[in-house]
Amino acid sequence: MGSSELMTDGLLRSGKWFSRLPKDIQADMLASGRKRQLVHREVLFEQESEASGLHAVVDGEIRIHCLARNGSQFMMGIIRPGEWTGFLSCLDGLPHSYAGIGQRATKVFTVPRESVLRIFGRDVATFRLLLEPELVISRKLSRHLTDLSTRSLAQRVASRLSELGRWAYSEDEGPIRPLKQVSQEELAASVGATRQRVNAILRDFQSREFLKLGYGSIVILDAEALESFASSG
């Protein structure tokens, strides 16, 4: 095994979901996948395209975008090195409900759906390992529905910043990654608000020292305070 393969294996084995898998399943996944290089803005999979397997980021980022029925597009999440996406279409075999797009030059590792089903379909306990990330998403969606009617826009923006700074399929824990090349228009679309209103909220958060705004970046300075605000205002 070459140094490149060793680096890829080490990175994937350190990821939150993959690291919790039994060693034999990790080995089978690594033996069944292939690497692919994407250029900036290249599509990994289209919304409504055929289920294509599980995809992990080795280097770069995959932005998860959803196109609504009214034609508007919003960013659902960011997949970073060591993180995976594609669980739902692997489970149900239906087309992707969102698109995965490379942000800058991005290297991905893909395990085809037929291999995923073979690896995880051996028994109920093993299949649950594949199901767990999507169960987290289901719980988050339930909270989002409640948030729409019970939380202020500023609280929803705070919550969204936390979510975009973490793996979409994990519970809200651990550090929040800096958001680079995320426009205020994209952030506004993801909470159903105008850029002007979101800009005013971000400047207020900066004055409270929750975060620091830079050119094309948002760096969270006090994750605990930001999440406390998202919960209680």
Side-chain angles (χ1 to χ4, degrees):
M1 183 182 294
S3 59
S4 176
E5 286 77 12
L6 286 172
M7 289 178 63
T8 298
D9 288 7
L11 173 70
L12 296 180
R13 289 182 193 276
S14 69
K16 183 176 295 185
W17 174 71
F18 196 82
S19 66
R20 296 174 181 171
L21 300 177
K23 298 299 183 184
D24 61 325
I25 293 180
Q26 290 185 16
D28 206 348
M29 289 275 284
L30 292 171
S32 301
R34 60 180 178 83
K35 287 186 286 187
R36 175 181 170 186
Q37 184 70 46
L38 305 177
V39 299
H40 179 56
R41 301 299 296 171
E42 183 176 353
V43 175
L44 176 61
F45 52 82
E46 296 271 11
Q47 184 171 333
E48 299 301 332
S49 64
E50 182 179 350
S52 55
L54 284 182
H55 308 277
V57 173
V58 177
D59 188 41
E61 287 182 353
I62 294 293
R63 300 283 174 93
I64 303 301
H65 289 270
C66 183
L67 184 66
R69 292 181 180 179
N70 64 3
S72 62
Q73 179 175 278
F74 64 94
M75 182 166 56
M76 298 176 63
I78 301 173
I79 309 300
R80 299 176 175 86
E83 300 174 348
W84 295 75
T85 190
F87 294 96
L88 180 59
S89 58
C90 270
L91 288 164
D92 63 17
L94 297 177
H96 288 288
S97 56
Y98 44 77
I101 303 171
Q103 180 71 19
R104 64 182 185 272
T106 297
K107 185 181 294 183
V108 298
F109 182 83
T110 295
V111 181
R113 182 173 183 264
E114 57 269 22
S115 297
V116 172
L117 295 180
R118 172 183 58 79
I119 293 168
F120 289 90
R122 60 185 69 175
D123 53 53
V124 173
T126 305
F127 190 77
R128 184 177 173 81
L129 298 173
L130 179 65
L131 179 62
E132 283 177 351
E134 202 57 48
L135 294 177
V136 173
I137 290 291
S138 295
R139 287 192 292 270
K140 285 186 173 185
L141 288 175
S142 296
R143 291 199 296 267
H144 283 313
L145 291 174
T146 302
D147 290 349
L148 286 174
S149 59
T150 61
R151 291 189 183 184
S152 68
L153 176 59
Q155 287 177 290
R156 300 204 314 271
V157 170
S159 179
R160 197 75 186 103
L161 289 169
S162 298
E163 291 170 349
L164 290 174
R166 295 187 175 114
W167 187 41
Y169 297 89
S170 66
E171 293 291 355
D172 297 334
E173 57 186 21
I176 301 175
R177 308 279 189 87
L179 302 181
K180 299 179 180 179
Q181 297 179 324
V182 175
S183 70
Q184 293 186 20
E185 286 84 356
E186 288 178 308
L187 182 58
S190 71
V191 295
T194 64
R195 187 196 65 80
Q196 291 79 5
R197 291 189 68 190
V198 168
N199 177 263
I201 290 169
L202 292 176
R203 291 187 179 280
D204 176 58
F205 287 171
Q206 183 168 244
S207 71
R208 300 175 188 230
E209 299 185 345
F210 291 174
L211 53 78
K212 180 180 180 181
L213 298 174
Y215 182 73
S217 72
I218 303 172
V219 178
I220 306 303
L221 300 177
D222 191 337
E224 184 176 349
L226 183 70
E227 292 180 308
S228 176
F229 179 88
S231 299
S232 56

